[in-house]
Amino acid sequence: IKKVYDICPILERSTKYNIKGTLELPYYDTSTTTISVAYKDEFSALTSSSGTFNSITLTGYLAGALTKISRSLINNSQFDIVAFVVDEMAYAIKRFIENELLNGTPGNPPTTPSKVLGLYGLTNYITAAAQTAVTADEVVQLHDRIKDEFQENAIWIMSPATRTALRLLKATTGYYLLNDDVSSPFGTTLLGKPVYVSDNMPNMAAGKNAIFYGDFRGLATKFNEELSIEVLREKYADEHAVGVIGWFEFDSKVEDAQKIAKLVMASA
């Protein structure tokens, strides 16, 4: 019997690149300057205007895990304990990657990554009026931060406690915003979109990113080295043990902030 955690499909839904070395992803920035269109008279010259090209850089951060298993335990077990530990390591690594994609490891200043930045650097957000509660109006505002073009594949991600709080929210018509839907992957929808929960998501508290919404293909994830798990039978023979080791190298940043938005709780 093992402890089960709620895991969301953020890794599966992100845009993945299996490329070694450094990856530069260009993007067209129109936040300060863009192409302008205006009426002009004949023989009057047009003035050049355009946005600027910038880029995000994905490198690679190495991570790993090691577990030693007693040979006596293996010999006296009625089931394949080595296979169980291999599965558990893969599960733990998946939770680690999910946490990094959702919360990141910010540096100083925070927008500079110490390791993987993930969604931490997301600039598309709204701020809740309260520190520990969300209103129905704020949920609608967060939903509408995403343009209609990106709504088709949009999902919600939040903690189990936040989902419970949203179950109690009602629209002005008196209907609950979060509805049971057997056709949805996890049985609930919010404003018509699937709701996923993760134990790696923070609960509603001062300054926390409580809810993400959008099309998570806007998050870029790059693997320099895919996950590999090996069983070491000889290395720990002098300890009468077997080792299970896993290595992988990855990086992640927001590729397109138009596709994803977050709700940030009010600061203390």
Side-chain angles (χ1 to χ4, degrees):
I1 299 173
K2 65 177 184 178
K3 184 175 182 180
V4 175
Y5 298 91
D6 285 315
I7 298 178
C8 70
I10 184 171
L11 175 60
E12 292 81 354
R13 287 182 173 252
S14 66
T15 299
K16 288 176 283 295
Y17 300 92
N18 293 311
I19 299 174
K20 299 184 184 299
T22 300
L23 174 64
E24 297 282 344
L25 294 173
Y27 67 92
Y28 188 57
D29 185 5
T30 59
S31 59
T32 56
T33 310
T34 187
I35 296 175
S36 61
V37 181
Y39 290 107
K40 297 292 287 188
D41 295 326
E42 191 175 15
F43 301 113
S44 176
L46 289 169
T47 301
S48 174
S49 62
S50 68
T52 57
F53 279 97
N54 294 315
S55 65
I56 65 169
T57 302
L58 292 173
T59 57
Y61 298 98
L62 188 65
L66 172 66
T67 297
K68 291 190 287 186
I69 313 167
S70 162
R71 284 184 179 271
S72 296
L73 180 61
I74 295 172
N75 294 334
N76 291 306
S77 293
Q78 300 300 314
F79 66 99
D80 191 347
I81 193 169
V82 175
F84 176 84
V85 171
V86 169
D87 289 341
E88 277 297 284
M89 180 171 287
Y91 187 62
I93 289 172
K94 183 176 182 180
R95 291 196 70 234
F96 173 85
I97 294 174
E98 182 204 43
N99 179 68
E100 293 301 293
L101 299 190
L102 290 171
N103 303 307
T105 303
N108 187 19
T111 52
T112 303
S114 170
K115 295 296 182 182
V116 172
L117 197 59
L119 289 173
Y120 184 89
L122 185 62
T123 56
N124 186 12
Y125 66 91
I126 68 167
T127 303
Q131 296 177 12
T132 58
V134 175
T135 67
D137 288 349
E138 289 165 348
V139 173
V140 173
Q141 290 169 14
L142 180 61
H143 177 277
D144 289 349
R145 292 290 297 186
I146 305 302
K147 296 290 186 183
D148 289 352
E149 181 178 348
F150 306 124
Q151 289 283 352
E152 182 178 357
N153 295 306
I155 63 171
W156 302 88
I157 297 178
M158 62 193 72
S159 74
T162 301
R163 181 180 64 178
T164 299
L166 292 188
R167 281 185 180 277
L168 304 177
L169 289 182
K170 293 182 180 180
T172 54
T173 55
Y175 291 100
Y176 287 105
L177 288 185
L178 199 149
N179 299 302
D180 293 327
D181 183 353
V182 294
S183 64
S184 181
F186 279 84
T188 52
T189 59
L190 179 61
L191 299 179
K193 298 299 179 181
V195 178
Y196 293 88
V197 296
S198 169
D199 287 322
N200 277 320
M201 279 292 291
N203 293 327
M204 292 182 291
K208 297 295 185 180
N209 297 327
I211 304 173
F212 288 109
Y213 175 72
D215 182 349
F216 287 86
R217 289 179 295 184
L219 178 68
T221 305
K222 182 174 79 75
F223 281 89
N224 294 22
E225 178 184 341
E226 291 282 0
L227 170 63
S228 62
I229 297 179
E230 300 175 64
V231 178
L232 309 177
R233 300 190 180 277
E234 302 299 330
K235 183 174 181 178
Y236 301 105
D238 60 337
E239 300 179 32
H240 201 245
V242 171
V244 177
I245 190 169
W247 287 105
F248 59 101
E249 186 176 355
F250 77 117
D251 195 7
S252 178
K253 287 189 180 78
V254 174
E255 178 179 319
D256 191 347
Q258 301 174 95
K259 294 181 179 179
I260 310 170
K262 65 181 178 180
L263 184 140
V264 183
M265 304 309 297
S267 299

